[in-house]
């Protein structure tokens, strides 16, 4: 680990809010993986004896059931898992595409940069929601499509950030030194540009995850995302809204998970940004 | 006679990661009215921080102790209101890079006049007139036109002249010049040094001239202080210092300056080792690891700055 | 003399509408140390970058051991770069902050000798670090953990590891402390004696050039104004600008040299005539209308001044 990373870790550790957020995130992740092992209920099993029952111990429905008698504990955990997975995968896609695209555009510059940036402007001119609806209509609904369509649009800002950083790094002598040492464009980008933009990139990626989770929930809420009988936090919340007055826990439990997830990711992202900010040192 | 600036046992440290890194270590000095003192040292010797402390411009994580008296008044730890009354009028400073010291979005004239309005309660018209006169005195060509220009429209040398005009407006009793010519070309450097000499004769203020370059200081300073690792190692009248340096560091430094004239050398004289890094663990005499005269005593017993007119902090100084 | 290692002909560089380098011609011979002096903005660094083709000149040619670098393909150019290396002014900025010193030195090896074994490469890097006066354990350090002088040694090691035929030093010692400057200059001299490489030593510090170089180019506003053997240049400079530069160097004895008048601020760049005439004490009407060509005044001593045949003494 480089001295720089060590410094960043030390500064991150000194930030109690970020550490707490990270602990809560780890606890949620652990719960979504291990939680279902301790609960006898199946995700799609209907328990007609307990329909829309309150959270409690009857039938091991710890978080209660929905109006079809499905166990909310298992469904909420599965939904959280699905949301986290979509957030991570889509962020990863946007990270890979955005960093590569931005670094190439910024480093090569000139006409290439011009064309590549116009493409980004056209894409970001399209309303994201229509773009996703458009894709779902053409390719049909499905989780993989959701990953791809969100990731495919999420990289635009990342590419812009990376390009801006690259433009300033390109001016530095160590880039000229590398070129003068015979390094080709690919090598300069991979070894000299990208390692030096990683700070802002990591921060932005951390802050992208909650955005994507929120967006996925929004799409699922509208019925465009994860489909029944599968669950994501968005579908669960959509379901809960219908029963808000009669059985508020159907809304509040997945809603609480979503809120906790977003809050922790945002706090952690902010903490990471502060930790990587060299000027703080 | 009260000295213009007297610093006693000044220590400046910076707190980093819970540790205090000393930048200035127990420095005492005195600048008499209308005296020009050159402060010479390599990067990291603490020469800039010494005067930043006097100006109350230390960074937030700095810890300082000791006394800094300016015209008899204590500046160290003085409230900002007191500092602001002195700074910019009685006590002024010019820096290495004049571009970063001028506000980029204000016209030169506004920046100059503002000082007079602020410190002297002058009207804007009077202040602008005074500013034009001052630009003339520092040999700025076409001063009236310059008043309406922005800093980026001026060359480096011209900006340094504007900075100098700004620092002279309220007739300071001490001007601190921190590497005033380091960022400038050699021909411009010669012009600015000539100007500083002229200005000093005209205004009669005391000066502290900070530089890494002994040769730059040579033409102007009455007395030269040589700093190494946060301490003053030698203090002497300028001519004597160059004629017969007593501290081995000063002697080595003088040898290291390459000469433009005279015989061509096959190799340049150099000083072995690295300048100490801030926070590095150093022996009693910080220069001992690089010193040709060092003995065991230098590593165990700290040499004190001794003497009256010529001071030297060395157990084995060179013969005068 | 033998064939020149580097032949620069009519090299011209434009930044937008501004001409920063115009019609530069010179030769650099094998094992020679050629100095290039001038003030900031005179185009010294631009010349270095144009030779290395780190930027695109508007016209001219740079022939390096018989190959024109400006017209050669990317492949040929990359192959030539192994023999043509550069050391920059700011030692910290010229090293990748996220790369250990050892990796930085090893990079040219990885590019040009990808087949060599990692162990052998590591030994080669350690040996190179020792040659530039660093201990082998410095290889594991990051640039910000090194002092300025040490960073510059790493940069020199990186440039030297492939044994280039020409090393360009762009203000390589200017940002170092006086006591360190001498070490680095001596290191360059030692490396040159061991390898027989040529050096183009760019500096605004005349004193360093004086002791290091055998011939000197003087540049003003993108043009070469004087070329001479080092001893001849310092003993009897012909161009008024060179004379002004020499006079402006601060002396230890404290005697102030005569100052040169400042250039007129933002004077529109004259389309004709001598660029130095605004600051020149000897300017004639002809200087405004006609650009003086770089002409040989005596054996190997060239100057671009209408009055270079007369004896002009700025100190009188």
């Amino acid at each position: 680990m480089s001295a720089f990373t060590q410094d960043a870790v030390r500064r991150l550790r000194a930030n109690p809010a970020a550490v707490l957020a990270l602990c809560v995130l780890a606890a949620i992740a652990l719960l979504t993986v291990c939680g279902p092992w301790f609960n006898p209920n199946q995700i799609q099993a209907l328990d007609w004896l307990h329909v829309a029952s309150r959270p409690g111990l009857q039938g091991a429905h710890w978080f209660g059931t929905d109006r079809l008698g499905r166990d909310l504990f298992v469904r909420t955990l599965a939904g959280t898992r699905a949301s986290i997975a979509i957030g991570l995968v889509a962020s990863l896609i946007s990270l890979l595409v955005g960093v590569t695209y931005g670094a190439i555009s910024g480093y090569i510059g000139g006409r290439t940069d011009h064309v590549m940036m116009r493409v980004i402007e056209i894409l970001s001119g399209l309303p994201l929601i229509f773009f996703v609806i458009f894709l779902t209509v053409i390719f049909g609904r499905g989780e993989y499509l959701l990953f791809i369509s969100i990731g495919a649009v999420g990289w635009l800002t990342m590419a812009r950030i990376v390009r801006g950083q690259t433009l300033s790094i390109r001016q530095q002598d160590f880039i000229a030194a590398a070129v003068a040492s015979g390094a080709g464009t690919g090598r300069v980008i991979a070894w000299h540009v990208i390692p030096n933009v990683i700070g802002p990139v990591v921060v932005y990626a951390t802050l992208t995850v909650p955005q994507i989770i929120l967006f996925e929930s929004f799409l699922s809420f509208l019925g465009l995302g994860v489909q029944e009988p599968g669950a994501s936090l968005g579908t669960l919340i959509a379901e809960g809204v219908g029963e808000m007055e009669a059985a508020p826990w159907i809304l509040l439990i997945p809603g609480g998970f979503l809120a906790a997830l977003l809050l922790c990711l945002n706090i952690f992202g902010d903490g990471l940004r502060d930790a990587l900010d060299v000027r703080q040192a | 006679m009260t000295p213009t600036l007297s610093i006693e046992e000044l220590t400046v440290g910076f707190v980093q990661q819970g540790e205090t890194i000393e930048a200035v270590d127990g420095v005492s000095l005195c600048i008499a009215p209308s005296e020009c003192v050159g402060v010479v040292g390599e990067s990291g010797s603490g020469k800039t921080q010494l005067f930043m402390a006097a100006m109350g411009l230390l960074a937030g994580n700095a810890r300082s102790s000791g006394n800094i008296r300016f015209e008899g008044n204590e500046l160290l730890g003085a409230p900002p209101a007191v500092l602001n009354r002195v700074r910019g009028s009685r006590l002024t400073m010019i820096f290495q890079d004049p571009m970063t010291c001028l506000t980029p979005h204000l016209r030169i004239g506004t920046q100059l006049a503002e000082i007079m309005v602020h410190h002297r309660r002058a009207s804007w018209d009077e202040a602008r007139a005074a500013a034009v006169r001052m630009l003339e005195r520092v040999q700025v060509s076409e001063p009236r036109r310059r008043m309406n220009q922005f800093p980026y429209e001026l060359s480096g040398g011209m900006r340094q002249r504007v900075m100098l005009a700004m620092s002279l407006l309220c007739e300071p009793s001490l001007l601190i010049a921190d590497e005033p010519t380091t960022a400038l070309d050699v021909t411009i450097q010669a012009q600015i040094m000539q100007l500083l000499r002229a200005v000093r004769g005209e205004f009669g203020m005391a000066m502290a001239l900070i530089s890494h370059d002994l040769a730059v200081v040579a033409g102007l300073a009455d007395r030269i202080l040589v700093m190494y690792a946060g301490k003053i190692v030698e203090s002497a009248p300028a001519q004597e210092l160059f004629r017969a340096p007593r501290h081995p560091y000063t002697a080595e430094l003088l040898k290291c300056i390459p000469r433009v004239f005279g015989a061509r050398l096959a190799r340049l004289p150099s000083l072995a080792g690295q300048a100490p890094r801030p926070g590095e663990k150093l022996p009693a005499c910080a220069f001992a690891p690089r010193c040709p005269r060092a003995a065991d005593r230098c590593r165990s017993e700290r040499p004190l700055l001794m003497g009256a007119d010529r001071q030297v902090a060395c157990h084995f100084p060179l013969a005068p | 003399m033998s064939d020149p290692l580097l032949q620069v002909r009519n090299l011209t560089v434009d930044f937008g509408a501004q001409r920063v380098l115009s019609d530069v011609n010179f030769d650099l011979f094998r094992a020679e140390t050629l100095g290039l002096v001038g003030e900031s903005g005179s185009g010294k660094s631009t010349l270095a970058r144009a030779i290395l083709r780190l930027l695109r000149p508007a016209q001219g040619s740079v022939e390096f051991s018989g190959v024109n670098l400006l017209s050669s393909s990317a492949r040929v150019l990359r192959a030539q770069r192994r023999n043509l290396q550069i050391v920059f002014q700011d030692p910290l900025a010229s090293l990748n902050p996220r790369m250990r010193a050892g990796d930085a030195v090893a990079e040219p090896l990885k590019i040009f000798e990808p087949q060599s074994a990692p162990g052998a490469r590591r030994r080669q890097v350690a040996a190179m670090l020792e040659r530039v006066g660093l201990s082998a354990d410095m290889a594991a350090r990051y640039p910000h953990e090194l002092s300025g002088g040490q960073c510059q040694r790493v940069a020199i090691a990186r440039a030297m590891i492939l044994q280039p035929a020409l090393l360009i030093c762009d203000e390589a010692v200017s940002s170092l402390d006086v006591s360190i400057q001498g070490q680095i200059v001596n290191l360059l001299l030692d490396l040159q004696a061991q390898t027989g490489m040529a050096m183009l030593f760019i500096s605004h510090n005349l004193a360093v050039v004086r002791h290091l170089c055998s011939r000197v180019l003087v540049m003003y506003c993108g043009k070469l104004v004087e070329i001479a053997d080092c001893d001849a240049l310092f003993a009897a400079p012909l161009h008024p600008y060179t004379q002004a530069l020499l006079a402006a160097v601060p002396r230890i004895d404290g005697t102030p040299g005569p100052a040169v008048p400042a250039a007129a601020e933002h004077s529109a760049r004259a389309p004709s005539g001598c660029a130095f005439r605004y600051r020149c004490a000897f300017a004639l009407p002809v200087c405004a209308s006609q650009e003086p060509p770089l002409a040989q005044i005596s054996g190997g001593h060239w100057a671009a001044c209408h009055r270079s045949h007369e004896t002009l003494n700025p100190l009188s």
Side-chain angles (χ1 to χ4, degrees), chain B residues 42 153 187 191 267 271, chain C residues 39 179 183 190 260 265-266:
Chain B
E42 296 182 282
E153 295 178 89
T187 56
Q191 292 167 9
R267 295 174 70 78
L271 185 50
Chain C
E39 304 194 337
S179 68
Q183 294 176 7
D190 290 344
V260 201
E265 291 283 327
H266 295 273

Side-chain angles (χ1 to χ4, degrees), chain C residues 239-282:
Chain C
H239 197 281
Y241 175 63
T242 317
Q243 294 166 355
L245 271 183
L246 282 173
V249 175
R251 322 259 175 95
I252 278 295
D253 58 14
T255 50
V260 201
E265 291 283 327
H266 295 273
S267 50
R269 252 187 126 83
S272 67
C274 172
F276 187 61
R277 66 176 189 272
Y278 305 104
R279 300 171 70 183
C280 184
F282 312 105

Side-chain angles (χ1 to χ4, degrees), chain A residues 25 27-39 41-44 71-90 143 146-147 209 212-213 216-217 220 226 229-236 254 257-258 261 265:
Chain A
L25 281 176
I28 292 178
L30 197 70
L31 189 66
T32 61
V33 174
C34 307
W37 299 346
F38 303 106
N39 194 291
N41 295 298
Q42 294 299 307
I43 181 164
Q44 290 174 28
D71 181 60
L72 265 183
F73 178 76
V74 177
R75 282 181 70 75
T76 305
L77 293 190
T80 310
R81 202 163 54 225
S83 287
I84 292 178
I86 291 174
L88 288 180
V89 172
E143 287 180 27
L146 204 62
F147 290 169
V209 178
I212 288 175
I213 291 178
E216 178 278 326
S217 304
S220 299
V226 175
S232 85
L233 288 175
T235 53
L236 293 175
F257 266 81
L258 181 65
L261 207 55
L265 281 166

Side-chain angles (χ1 to χ4, degrees), chain B residues 20-41:
Chain B
T20 305
I21 293 166
E22 301 259 292
V24 178
D25 185 6
V27 166
S28 302
L29 66 90
C30 228
I31 300 179
S34 76
E35 185 190 21
C36 178
V37 172
V39 181
V40 174

